[in-house]
Amino acid sequence: QVQVEESGGGSVQVGGALRLSCAVSGNKQCMGWFRQAPGDEREGVAAIDRGGTTSYAPSVKGRFTISQDNAKNTMYLQMNNLKPEDTATYYCAALPTGSRYACRAINIKFGIHAQGAQVTVSS
């Protein structure tokens, strides 16, 4: 059974950086983050598979980096050059092994997710 627990988040000014961490246990084929702002739908942000292949939403590519430490069962999202439109609740998520969803940022929103961490970017 997949379980996820995230930490990090906070408030930062435009152009600043934050890092999110997520501990993931259980058999999973894909991990990542999606985000949701009030009144908006869930948006896949980034995903990484067991082999380390990554996928990003166009809106964050070049600014965000997803990585994993397999020895620690931990995943990270480094967010640089943050913009006001990045303000949202960020959810760490994982697709269990055998999931019908391919490991892509757009699909990570269908995964088992944590409680969410607020990220606020102010100008």
Side-chain angles (χ1 to χ4, degrees):
Q1 183 176 358
V2 173
Q3 292 183 317
V4 293
E5 183 175 352
E6 67 181 297
S7 59
S11 297
V12 66
Q13 291 189 326
V14 170
L18 286 172
R19 189 175 85 156
L20 302 177
S21 301
C22 180
V24 184
S25 61
N27 294 322
K28 64 279 185 186
Q29 64 186 36
C30 182
M31 302 183 292
W33 271 271
F34 65 89
R35 65 188 180 187
Q36 188 168 26
D40 290 348
E41 295 185 353
R42 293 180 176 182
E43 178 191 13
V45 174
I48 186 167
D49 68 16
R50 288 179 297 183
T53 299
T54 58
S55 169
Y56 295 94
S59 59
V60 307
K61 198 168 187 178
R63 300 187 297 122
F64 290 13
T65 302
I66 189 171
S67 62
Q68 61 186 351
D69 184 335
N70 290 326
K72 298 180 180 179
N73 286 326
T74 303
M75 171 180 58
Y76 306 96
L77 184 68
Q78 178 66 42
M79 304 181 289
N80 296 331
N81 190 21
L82 284 160
K83 304 176 181 180
E85 52 264 41
D86 295 319
T87 295
T89 301
Y90 284 69
Y91 297 87
C92 167
L95 295 172
T97 300
S99 170
R100 62 189 179 100
Y101 295 105
C103 192
R104 299 283 187 274
I106 195 171
N107 289 330
I108 198 63
K109 63 186 176 184
F110 299 116
I112 296 169
H113 62 83
Q115 76 281 3
Q118 180 64 36
V119 171
T120 302
V121 184
S122 57
S123 56

